[in-house]
Amino acid sequence: DDTGTPPAPAPSVSVEINEGFIYANCMPGPGSDAVERVMGSWTLTATNASVEAQTLTALGDLVLSTETESYTQTFEADPTAFTIGGGETLSHTEYKGLPLTDWGIDPCVLSGAVAALTMTYTATDGAETLASFDLGELLIAW
């Protein structure tokens, strides 16, 4: 880097999303702001190659796509962080947490939409790891 800025540290933790699901909670009905509409959960495997424990914070982007349109929502994972010991591998479940951006549409009217998840995990040492997963069709729960 010729700007004098040191490069970001190489990630010592790898993350793979193994499975997940997503659905639109459409009660009490379309157009209501009473509930968070899109609910999701996923299970990941994280491996820490470092001898030092790392705490990872998680920030996600969820993309809902139809044949003609695409909508993105940025959110925090719940829990917002987890710790992995040095040299450990763990399985961890996360949920779609607090939205940081609004959809701009009502997902309950997106029949046939599919969802893709991209998570950014930032470790204590500042290194970032990306993990993506195709969640499949957005299920609609009335």
Side-chain angles (χ1 to χ4, degrees), residues 20-98:
F21 75 93
I22 187 163
Y23 68 96
N25 178 3
C26 297
M27 294 300 289
S32 172
D33 292 330
V35 295
E36 169 54 34
R37 290 291 185 202
V38 178
M39 314 298 277
S41 175
W42 53 96
T43 302
L44 60 88
T45 301
T47 301
N48 185 358
S50 169
V51 296
E52 301 292 325
Q54 295 286 329
T55 298
L56 279 74
T57 57
L59 190 64
D61 284 316
L62 183 63
V63 178
L64 296 178
S65 301
T66 67
E67 289 183 9
T68 59
E69 299 171 291
S70 182
Y71 304 93
T72 302
Q73 184 183 64
T74 300
F75 65 93
E76 294 176 336
D78 180 15
T80 57
F82 66 94
T83 300
I84 182 170
E88 290 186 353
T89 296
L90 64 78
S91 180
H92 176 71
T93 300
E94 293 179 328
Y95 301 89
K96 183 178 170 290
L98 175 68

Side-chain angles (χ1 to χ4, degrees), residues 106-122:
D106 184 346
C108 295
V109 300
L110 291 180
S111 179
V114 293
L117 174 69
T118 300
M119 298 298 298
T120 302
Y121 295 95
T122 304

